[in-house]
Amino acid sequence: IVLTQSPATLSLSPGERATLSCRASQTISSNYLAWYQQKPGQAPSLLIHGASTRATGIPDRFSGSGSGTDFTLTITRLEPEDFAVYFCQQYDSPITFGQGTRLEIK
Amino acid sequence: EVQLVQSGAEVKKPGDSLKISCQGSGYSFADFYIGWVRHVPGQGLEWMGIFYPDDSRNRYNPSFQGQVTMSADKSTNTAYLQWSSLKASDTAIYYCGRCIFIYHNGVWSNHWYFDVWGRGTLVTVSS
């Protein structure tokens, strides 16, 4: 399953809303999709699994939605620490990753 | 706190051997699969394989089968990824991650995601 993330780069200001897309080349069963955040020099961190379940400790400004082939990560009210790279991963079979979206400060 | 600490950057020549490590802490290391992921700069992430420290069960991505070897030492809570003969195309960042499998209808499924990752080990292979 090929995952295509868009846009490649998203330029927004703190306080704005970010909408990141992850589109699959075929249906992902049981919403087996995760989202991760990665900051430079740091380990990736899990944000969302099961397409919409926030991982432990993740603020509620992060939300995941979608099913089938189209999934979205939404970040409401961007905080300075949210500017990072975000990538999706499907774990239907076998696991694959999207190319990532760089969220940068406008 | 669950953590995975990876070994430092390596610079090697083609044909060299290499073993990188991933040490877990804050959880029962032997009870969770560890997965390895390759990230070639400018390209996407690729899953390489997963390894179960408790009994050495493993599964390799066919693209990496025979190219690398996964192992683990339960006594030191450390997982390893090794190459016997590096190639320039092995230049990449290698991440380890703790795998969370989905339990569905009373059975452990074949589906997993990573809930904790290491910071990555940069491997550079150049003559």
Side-chain angles (χ1 to χ4, degrees):
Chain A
I1 298 176
V2 177
L3 298 179
T4 302
Q5 291 189 242
S6 61
T9 303
L10 184 58
S11 300
L12 293 170
S13 300
E16 290 192 296
R17 177 189 187 96
T19 303
L20 287 67
S21 171
C22 177
R23 179 163 291 177
S25 60
Q26 60 193 75
T27 295
I28 296 173
S29 62
S30 302
N31 289 341
Y32 287 146
L33 187 108
W35 288 95
Y36 302 89
Q37 176 194 69
Q38 187 173 24
K39 299 178 184 178
Q42 295 187 22
S45 58
L46 175 68
L47 297 174
I48 301 283
H49 61 90
S52 61
T53 302
R54 272 189 301 275
T56 303
I58 301 303
D60 60 8
R61 65 179 181 272
F62 291 90
S63 64
S65 62
S67 64
T69 60
D70 290 303
F71 298 86
T72 300
L73 175 69
T74 302
I75 313 170
T76 59
R77 302 180 310 277
L78 282 166
E79 298 285 343
E81 63 267 27
D82 298 336
F83 292 91
V85 174
Y86 293 84
F87 58 93
C88 54
Q89 174 220 326
Q90 64 80 19
Y91 46 104
D92 193 347
S93 183
I95 73 169
T96 54
F97 297 89
Q99 298 275 64
T101 289
R102 180 178 304 278
L103 178 58
E104 62 176 29
I105 298 178
K106 189 173 182 180
Chain B
E1 180 192 5
V2 175
Q3 278 191 310
L4 295 173
V5 177
Q6 295 190 237
S7 49
E10 302 273 3
V11 179
K12 293 290 187 180
K13 296 188 186 306
D16 284 353
S17 63
L18 175 65
K19 193 173 190 178
I20 62 174
S21 67
C22 168
Q23 186 174 42
S25 63
Y27 73 100
S28 180
F29 179 78
D31 292 340
F32 289 81
Y33 274 86
I34 290 287
W36 292 93
V37 173
R38 183 175 80 173
H39 186 199
V40 175
Q43 299 182 22
L45 296 155
E46 296 175 275
W47 160 67
M48 302 176 72
I50 57 173
F51 190 89
Y52 192 55
D54 189 49
D55 61 9
S56 298
R57 273 180 285 170
N58 60 77
R59 186 182 314 161
Y60 288 88
N61 178 332
S63 297
F64 293 93
Q65 181 86 47
Q67 309 303 308
V68 294
T69 303
M70 297 179 293
S71 62
D73 182 344
K74 288 190 289 185
S75 68
T76 60
N77 291 347
T78 304
Y80 299 98
L81 181 67
Q82 68 180 85
W83 295 257
S84 58
S85 181
L86 286 161
K87 303 185 275 287
S89 57
D90 293 318
T91 295
I93 300 171
Y94 293 88
Y95 294 98
C96 62
R98 189 176 78 161
C99 303
I100 299 298
F101 277 79
I102 306 303
Y103 191 70
H104 186 64
N105 289 339
V107 179
W108 289 106
S109 74
N110 204 25
H111 307 282
W112 77 92
Y113 57 91
F114 299 102
D115 73 331
V116 177
W117 296 63
R119 290 191 175 210
T121 295
L122 173 61
V123 174
T124 304
V125 185
S126 174
S127 54

